[in-house]
Every structure is written in structure tokens, then in C-alpha cells.
Amino acid sequence: MQGRLIYLMGPSGSGKDSLLQAARAPLEAHGCRFARRVITRSAESVGEDALGVTPDEFERLQGEGAFALSWRANGLAYGIPREIDDWLSAGQDVLINGSRGHLEVARQRYPDLLAILLQVDEAVLRQRLLARGRETPEQIEQRLARSRSFTPMGGASAATVAAKAPPTGECLAILDNSGPLQHTVSRLLHLLDEARQCA
Ligand SMILES: Nc1ncnc2c1ncn2[C@@H]1O[C@H](COP(=O)(O)OP(=O)(O)O)[C@@H](O)[C@H]1O
Ligand SMILES: O=P(O)(O)OC[C@H]1O[C@H](OP(=O)(O)OP(=O)(O)O)[C@H](O)[C@@H]1O
């Protein structure tokens, strides 16, 4: 049986990296795999467990078909290695750090993907981005403006169920990360358990 792609997305600073790191051990214990992104960001500023490459290297990799998914945002290029297709074919679930802007393209390639939108109030978001200190204040404002450009997406609350939403049958769950990270981790694990039952 084919594994399922779990597509975690949300604004910069919503806590995707933190959640991926905190949930990694319990999810790996259940056989879930984690994709390491390739990003055209300098290695020292990557922040997450990603491979930093130059724009030329990214182009070369893309030309070689190294990516299952790739997109551009925030002046950067992001790639998800093709090896996720081997993992999915082997029946393993795969969790990736995705992009809201690329969701529809990703769905075309992986119609059964489970999209999880991580949300945080904008004031908290700004404060967390400033505290993280990876981007300049101007870049932070650009990221917040980008977030505002995404209309709120309808979806099941993580507190309820990541059920298949009629009429499209697409799965989208919303996960709030305004509170303590460990609460969000627990809700993510619960949500994935429920999603397994509705897949
Ligand atoms: N639940 C949380 N409570 C407090 N701080 C958090 C929480 N989740 C993430 N953070 C902090 O917010 C900042 C942004 O989180 P990060 O995981 O880098 O977000 P993203 O990957 O979505 O850009 C980091 O400094 C991180 O430590
Ligand atoms: O279409 P969007 O949902 O806006 O997403 C665009 C990109 O921004 C985020 O990465 P970013 O470089 O900001 O890294 P971060 O998530 O670790 O902040 C996200 O992971 C996407 O790669």
C-alpha cells in the first residue's frame, strides 16, 4: 500500500521547523519519514536541517530531476528530494515542510496528500520572527504581507478530525500553534492517528 504525503504548511514563523523537530522521534517510531529540503539559502542561515545550495546548483539539480516538488518564494528556491517517492511507494508516510502557494500543484502530483495548516496570530508571529532573528525586519514584514495574501482556507479543526471534506475530497486540517509547542505536538500526533482512519 502506498504511503501518504503529509504536507505541513503555514506562515514563516508559525513553527513548522520547531514542530517537525519536536514530533520527529515519535513519528519516526511509527515509520514516518522526514524529507530534508534543498534551499538556496546560505548554510549558516538555513536554521532547519536543510541542504543549502547556490542558485546554480539548484538549477542543475532541478534539471536532473532531483526534486519531487519544488517552488520559489521569499526570494528563495526550495526542493523536496525525489527519494520521497521511493518511501511512499514502499508504504511509508512522509512529512514535508511545504508551501501554501504550491499546495494545488502538490495536490495534482499527490492527490491523497494530507495538508496541515499551522496557524498563529499575526502579533505572535511577528514577535516570534523578530525573536528568531534570521530575517531582517523588512524581510519579516514581507513575510507577514505574504501571509495576509493567503485567504483563510476552509478546513477541519485539528481538534475535530482531518476528515475528507466534501465535495472535493481534499484533506486539510488546521493546527493552532499559538500555545505551547508540546500541545501542538500532541494534537499533531492525534490528528495523524485520526487521518489514518479516514484515509
Ligand atoms: N509553540 C511555540 N511557542 C513559542 N515559541 C515557538 C513555538 N513554536 C515555535 N516557536 C519559536 O518561533 C520561532 C519560529 O519558529 P520556526 O519553527 O522557525 O517557524 P517556521 O519554520 O514556521 O518558520 C522560533 O524561534 C521558534 O523557537
Ligand atoms: O507559500 P508559503 O506558505 O508562504 O511558503 C513559502 C516558503 O516559506 C516557508 O519557508 P521559509 O523560507 O520562510 O522558511 P521557514 O518556513 O523556516 O521560515 C515555507 O516553508 C515555504 O518554503
Side-chain angles (χ1 to χ4, degrees), residues 12 16 37 41 71 74 78 97 99-101 134 146:
S12 219
K16 299 180 297 298
R37 300 200 294 183
R41 188 152 52 193
W71 60 88
N74 303 325
Y78 301 81
N97 184 344
S99 152
R100 293 163 297 175
R134 194 179 69 193
R146 178 178 169 88

Side-chain angles (χ1 to χ4, degrees), residues 34-160:
F34 286 68
R36 186 172 184 231
R37 300 200 294 183
V38 178
I39 308 180
T40 56
R41 188 152 52 193
S42 63
E44 63 274 16
S45 70
V46 157
E48 67 182 86
D49 177 28
L51 177 64
V53 296
T54 64
D56 283 350
E57 285 170 329
F58 192 95
E59 288 292 328
R60 181 181 58 76
L61 288 166
Q62 191 156 38
E64 290 171 357
F67 303 133
L69 293 170
S70 63
W71 60 88
R72 285 166 198 273
N74 303 325
L76 300 168
Y78 301 81
I80 304 289
R82 195 179 50 191
E83 66 189 327
I84 69 165
D85 288 336
D86 298 333
W87 298 340
L88 292 167
S89 297
Q92 294 176 299
D93 290 341
V94 178
L95 212 163
I96 66 168
N97 184 344
S99 152
R100 293 163 297 175
H102 198 66
L103 175 62
E104 291 317 315
V105 176
R107 273 200 205 282
Q108 282 164 24
R109 182 162 175 156
Y110 302 97
D112 291 332
L113 71 76
L114 170 60
I116 301 178
L117 178 64
L118 199 59
Q119 284 189 334
V120 174
D121 295 340
E122 184 172 317
V124 179
L125 204 54
R126 179 180 282 104
Q127 187 199 341
R128 286 188 187 166
L129 285 169
L130 288 167
R132 182 173 70 179
R134 194 179 69 193
E135 290 84 14
T136 64
E138 190 187 10
Q139 287 172 326
I140 288 173
E141 290 309 318
Q142 283 167 357
R143 278 165 159 76
L144 292 171
R146 178 178 169 88
S147 281
R148 275 180 233 119
S149 73
F150 287 94
T151 52
M153 305 182 196
S157 153
T160 54

Side-chain angles (χ1 to χ4, degrees), residues 11-18 128 132 177 179-181:
S12 219
S14 57
K16 299 180 297 298
D17 283 346
S18 305
R128 286 188 187 166
R132 182 173 70 179
N177 186 35
L181 183 62

